[in-house]
Amino acid sequence: MAYPTVPCPLHVFEPRYRLMIRRSIQTGTKQFGMCVSDTQNSFADYGCMLQIRNVHFLPDGRSVVDTVGGKRFRVLKRGMKDGYCTADIEYLEDVKVEDEDEIKNLRELHDLVYSQACSWFQNLRDRFRSQILQHFGSMPEREENLQATPNGPAWCWWLLAVLPVDPRYQLSVLSMKSLKERLTKIQHILTYFSRDQSK
């Protein structure tokens, strides 16, 4: 599962994906979509664009691709090209909250869930915490303007990437266009895991 702003290193070895990576670099877009697999439709209805930051080509044709999550999208139409899946997509953006009271409530919920997330992370065993830091880096700082980007605060995506939850649950959160709903789902996950930590 890929998320906005979250690093996603890939080891590319299948010829069809090597071709896809090469094409995305040659065309200059330096991006491609990533969806989790789906038994009915081959891949899920929602995904995230990945921006290629660097590619290290190995002598045997494999490559290590350094990517970071970009825009979220919804799949409109599925296709196939030279063995890899393609899709027509539409980008997703969070619906902006305009009402002052709603903004105030959103800020309070945000700050509460952010504190809960920090507490959960600090209470992890040292080994797990250091593995997460090594793979994903530090949790992003709290942002002043919650609605400054189309995907909401970066820390939410970082947290979803590191929480051990079912991919279907992660996918439901990825597809949400409401920051309030996303924060509420994250709060439920954190409450569940925090209970386990205290046992």
Side-chain angles (χ1 to χ4, degrees), residues 91-104:
Y91 290 117
L92 299 177
E93 289 191 9
D94 283 354
V95 176
K96 301 258 190 269
V97 174
E98 304 292 337
D99 180 74
E100 287 300 319
D101 286 339
E102 283 185 54
I103 292 172
K104 181 177 175 277

Side-chain angles (χ1 to χ4, degrees), residues 130-169:
S130 56
Q131 285 174 341
I132 289 170
L133 290 170
Q134 184 178 7
H135 188 78
F136 293 99
S138 297
M139 183 168 147
E141 294 292 321
R142 199 170 10 193
E143 295 160 36
E144 280 310 306
N145 184 350
L146 301 181
Q147 302 185 97
T149 67
N151 296 309
W155 70 264
C156 291
W157 302 115
W158 181 91
L159 189 67
L160 274 169
V162 304
L163 282 167
V165 293
D166 186 288
R168 290 170 299 194
Y169 198 86

Side-chain angles (χ1 to χ4, degrees), residues 176-191:
M176 291 177 172
K177 296 189 337 183
S178 163
L179 177 57
K180 180 181 177 183
E181 287 178 22
R182 190 177 312 121
L183 288 168
T184 302
K185 273 252 199 206
I186 292 170
Q187 186 177 41
H188 291 154
I189 297 167
L190 288 169
T191 301

Side-chain angles (χ1 to χ4, degrees), residues 75-88:
V75 174
L76 302 174
K77 183 179 168 192
R78 288 166 169 73
M80 183 71 70
K81 181 176 184 171
D82 298 326
Y84 61 85
C85 296
T86 61
D88 292 338

